[in-house]
Amino acid sequence: IYTVEIEADEKKYPLLLSNGDCLEKKSLGNGRHYAKWNDPHKKPSYLFALVAGDMGVVTDSYKTTSGREVKLEVFAPHGKQERCLHAMKSLKQSMKWDEETYGLEYDLNQYMVVSIDDFNMGAMENKGLNVFNSKLVLADVKTATDDDFHQIQSVIGHEYFHNWSGNRVTCRNWFELSLKEGLTVFRDQEFSGDMTSRSVQRIHDVDSLRSRQFSEDSGPNAHAVRPESCLAVDNFYTATIYEKGAEVIRMMQTIVGLKGFKKGMALYFKRHDGQAVTIENFATAISDANQIDFTQFKLWYSQAGTPVVHVEENYDAVKKQFKIKLTQSCDLTLTEKLDPTFVKEPFYIPLRFGLVLPTGKAIKIPFDLLALKEVSQEWTFADVPEKPILSINREFSAPIKLVQNMSGQNILLLIKFDSDAFNRREASMKMLLQEVRRLIACAKNKTALITNPDVIEALGYILNDSKIDPQMKALMLSLPSNMVIAQEEETLVPEAFMQAKKKIIIDFVNQFQNDLVKLYKQHHPLDTIGDRTLKNKILDFITV
Ligand SMILES: [Zn+2]
């Protein structure tokens, strides 16, 4: 328990802040003043903070469900206060969301966010006194973009959610960093999804995971979510510990279900409030609350690398049976290879799926989650009237690489009909990635680049489907990023990447120019994030 007394020059440092609640503030005469703070909650030293300075402030208040009146303050350099209003709004949304989702309330009488222009990190969750890099707090309505606003909302949420996942229950040591970071990233992703669009949020999170974490996993820095050793603790602030850590938590939620997961979270906070615990303790709380064995599942914490799942499908038209065979593998990482005794065990991989008929109708199935626990497993479905298209790893239920042979025609059917928004976009991405790679090969071989007319037709279909919401449409029309292409290519020829992408865009624009311009004009006067995103995507295309 910390009690902090601060004394300083009254003119130079009118603000004297620390963690917890302010008990006393007085002038000492002689140009100096004094403040006393007390934080009634136990905390590790990394959550301590002290701020002395001269700043402007925006003030508001929030009443918790149980009736506590909390004073909210966002501090910023003088003159920049009005740029804090979005951060303040986001803070109130976060407080409400955590109460409604997990029943977690704020536990002090004041909550302060301090925006600093030269802060060497993004933001820090010091108890009751968050310290932020200005770029994650300040937003000028005249110049800030939708992405800026979204990022502020997400990081304000992240640091606020740490008050429980990180501060009230903290990590026993830094090897357990993902206990607080994986869980809190998961919580801020869910929060952002609820504040905006869940499917768009999921797609952005997975895009980021694939470009940052998958490349980490396949390189010399590959490490487990709970590493065994390190050279310096700052090496731990990685995409694996943060983003893959969040994916592991998400898989737990998928396995035990939303209700079961909330039960597990409640047990975790009840059991460990005020303690410094381990990832093991978290997994035990979720499994105890649901009476489920997580022994194998916990390999996600100790084994590094991205598993690959191969899909084989077989349809028996006479018996009306459809079979799915899944086989998993995961290459040893550099560090795992160095240990001759290391044996990589199969992961517990939860895969959400659905069967879609060529007419677009979904086939009724007895369950929608395949639990792949062995190297290879098979499932048989009866009464399947005709050969279905398998839409698997829906919502990206597991952080794996999927190898599934699919004809161009079936990809197109999923683009049109998949009821899972994530996989619908996945199908368009798959189609575009295949086409880009085919054209890259042509560019490398110095042969003519001729686009597949079916691909251009499919893009036209997406463009003109009025049922797809504009933000999703912009995502489905987006070509794969260079990072994503680079992960697939043996040799990297950047000029070939550019040529291939440009060729697709030019052919698409030539064929659908009128539709593109019409859609642009239709969304131009409208003023939502989706309208702006789609408009900018169209501008991107027609100005190439
Ligand atoms: Zn964090």
Side-chain angles (χ1 to χ4, degrees):
I1 307 285
Y2 284 68
T3 301
V4 180
E5 292 176 73
I6 316 168
E7 190 193 315
D9 186 294
E10 202 159 6
K11 271 216 176 89
K12 266 193 188 157
Y13 308 102
L15 270 186
L16 300 176
L17 313 175
S18 192
N19 314 92
D21 299 316
C22 187
L23 300 183
E24 194 185 352
K25 204 179 167 197
K26 63 181 180 197
S27 176
L28 299 173
N30 67 358
R32 296 181 72 76
H33 67 152
Y34 163 94
K36 186 174 180 180
W37 291 80
N38 173 260
D39 179 1
H41 301 284
K42 285 195 270 183
K43 67 167 174 286
S45 57
Y46 78 89
L47 293 175
F48 173 80
L50 186 155
V51 173
D54 185 4
M55 300 179 99
V57 64
V58 173
T59 310
D60 206 329
S61 68
Y62 179 83
K63 194 173 185 174
T64 65
T65 309
S66 60
R68 181 196 288 267
E69 201 64 58
V70 184
K71 183 180 177 193
L72 309 176
E73 291 166 301
V74 180
F75 296 92
H78 285 295
K80 293 186 179 171
Q81 290 95 317
E82 70 178 47
R83 297 189 201 172
C84 300
L85 295 175
H86 180 66
M88 181 62 90
K89 182 175 159 206
S90 307
L91 176 60
K92 290 165 84 173
Q93 287 170 330
S94 311
M95 296 176 91
K96 188 159 185 276
W97 184 86
D98 219 12
E99 289 179 1
E100 288 173 353
T101 313
Y102 295 111
L104 297 173
E105 281 189 26
Y106 188 59
D107 52 8
L108 290 166
N109 300 323
Q110 53 192 117
Y111 191 93
M112 297 166 283
V113 172
V114 182
S115 160
I116 308 277
D117 282 343
D118 26 37
F119 185 57
N120 57 352
M121 299 279 276
M124 179 62 211
E125 70 267 25
N126 310 78
K127 179 83 187 187
L129 178 61
N130 291 179
V131 182
F132 268 64
N133 189 314
S134 311
K135 81 171 170 46
L136 297 169
V137 177
L138 305 181
D140 187 333
V141 262
K142 290 196 214 86
T143 52
T145 63
D146 288 327
D147 282 348
D148 294 335
F149 282 110
H150 184 253
Q151 224 201 344
I152 289 171
Q153 186 185 49
S154 142
V155 182
I156 287 275
H158 180 98
E159 305 310 331
Y160 174 74
F161 301 140
H162 267 315
N163 190 53
W164 278 93
S165 49
N167 300 5
R168 286 285 286 252
V169 182
T170 194
C171 305
R172 182 162 303 170
N173 58 59
W174 294 115
F175 295 99
E176 307 286 343
L177 183 60
S178 193
L179 171 75
K180 75 176 179 81
E181 292 307 340
L183 179 55
T184 306
V185 169
F186 168 76
R187 275 151 58 68
D188 84 51
Q189 290 175 346
E190 288 293 285
F191 166 65
S192 294
D194 283 343
M195 293 299 116
T196 52
S197 146
R198 289 192 73 83
S199 43
V200 170
Q201 179 67 32
R202 186 68 190 131
I203 289 169
H204 282 303
D205 291 337
V206 174
D207 280 355
S208 161
L209 181 85
R210 279 175 167 155
S211 56
R212 285 158 30 80
Q213 200 278 325
F214 278 21
S215 49
E216 196 166 270
D217 246 354
S218 59
N221 279 334
H223 56 275
V225 174
R226 185 185 48 217
E228 297 280 323
S229 65
C230 70
L231 287 177
V233 167
D234 1 353
N235 294 356
F236 277 170
Y237 291 78
T238 64
T240 299
I241 283 172
Y242 277 66
E243 294 178 47
K244 189 175 178 181
E247 291 301 318
V248 179
I249 306 264
R250 187 176 295 278
M251 282 190 284
M252 288 188 194
Q253 177 175 278
T254 302
I255 292 169
V256 302
L258 203 58
K259 255 194 178 161
F261 184 74
K262 285 185 182 181
K263 236 167 61 187
M265 285 281 276
L267 180 63
Y268 169 68
F269 288 117
K270 189 173 162 227
R271 205 180 255 180
H272 299 295
D273 189 13
Q275 297 176 1
V277 302
T278 61
I279 285 170
E280 185 73 34
N281 293 138
F282 179 80
T284 305
I286 304 291
S287 61
D288 281 358
N290 293 281
Q291 279 139 23
I292 195 167
D293 182 6
F294 268 163
T295 312
Q296 184 191 8
F297 180 81
K298 284 185 290 191
L299 291 170
W300 282 103
Y301 284 115
S302 53
Q303 298 188 148
T306 311
V308 178
V309 176
H310 283 260
V311 184
E312 287 169 66
E313 300 157 56
N314 192 296
Y315 180 67
D316 187 328
V318 180
K319 291 186 190 157
K320 306 279 178 213
Q321 267 183 0
F322 182 65
K323 275 189 185 164
I324 304 173
K325 185 180 176 192
L326 301 177
T327 308
Q328 61 164 305
S329 61
C330 188
D331 289 342
L332 289 180
T333 63
L334 214 65
T335 337
E336 288 168 351
K337 275 184 197 156
L338 292 175
D339 177 2
T341 61
F342 184 83
V343 180
K344 210 162 197 166
E345 304 284 348
F347 289 89
Y348 179 165
I349 305 177
L351 295 156
R352 245 186 230 301
F353 77 107
L355 303 179
V356 186
L357 287 175
T359 54
K361 257 186 75 182
I363 295 177
K364 278 210 176 85
I365 35 175
F367 50 93
D368 67 351
L369 191 66
L370 302 175
L372 176 61
K373 296 181 182 176
E374 288 154 37
V375 172
S376 193
Q377 260 170 275
E378 221 176 80
W379 291 265
T380 304
F381 299 88
D383 302 324
V384 179
E386 58 180 305
K387 191 175 179 194
I389 306 148
L390 170 64
S391 164
I392 192 166
N393 205 17
R394 282 182 161 178
E395 295 168 10
F396 204 69
S397 57
I400 53 137
K401 287 183 180 167
L402 196 67
V403 183
Q404 181 185 19
N405 282 328
M406 200 181 277
S407 67
Q409 206 189 357
N410 283 355
I411 294 178
L412 196 59
L413 287 169
L414 287 186
I415 290 178
K416 288 185 177 175
F417 300 126
D418 202 326
S419 59
D420 181 68
F422 182 87
N423 266 9
R424 208 173 171 197
R425 189 275 191 150
E426 193 73 354
S428 75
M429 183 54 87
K430 190 169 179 167
M431 171 189 78
L432 290 167
L433 185 60
Q434 276 176 7
E435 184 63 0
V436 168
R437 292 196 61 206
R438 198 182 61 77
L439 294 175
I440 287 174
C442 296
K444 281 182 182 169
N445 298 329
K446 308 233 178 318
T447 54
L449 274 63
I450 300 166
T451 45
N452 177 351
D454 291 347
V455 170
I456 305 298
E457 280 297 334
L459 287 175
Y461 177 87
I462 297 167
L463 186 73
N464 289 316
D465 183 348
S466 58
K467 290 193 291 298
I468 307 177
D469 88 76
Q471 222 178 340
M472 185 57 118
K473 191 174 278 190
L475 278 168
M476 288 180 75
L477 291 172
S478 298
L479 292 169
S481 72
N482 290 342
M483 283 290 272
V484 168
I485 305 170
Q487 286 181 37
E488 303 290 325
E489 290 283 303
E490 284 279 317
T491 51
L492 307 183
V493 185
E495 302 83 13
F497 286 21
M498 295 321 292
Q499 281 174 23
K501 290 209 240 182
K502 205 167 168 181
K503 176 70 178 146
I504 296 175
I505 295 173
I506 288 173
D507 287 356
F508 173 49
V509 172
N510 282 342
Q511 196 171 327
F512 289 97
Q513 184 140 29
N514 291 340
D515 296 327
L516 283 160
V517 173
K518 200 175 112 198
L519 203 61
Y520 181 86
K521 285 184 176 160
Q522 193 185 318
H523 287 275
H524 188 64
L526 305 172
D527 200 26
T528 69
I529 296 176
D531 295 310
R532 285 189 291 270
T533 314
L534 183 58
K535 233 170 54 180
N536 287 336
K537 180 54 66 186
I538 295 172
L539 269 188
D540 245 16
F541 284 144
I542 55 184
T543 53
V544 96

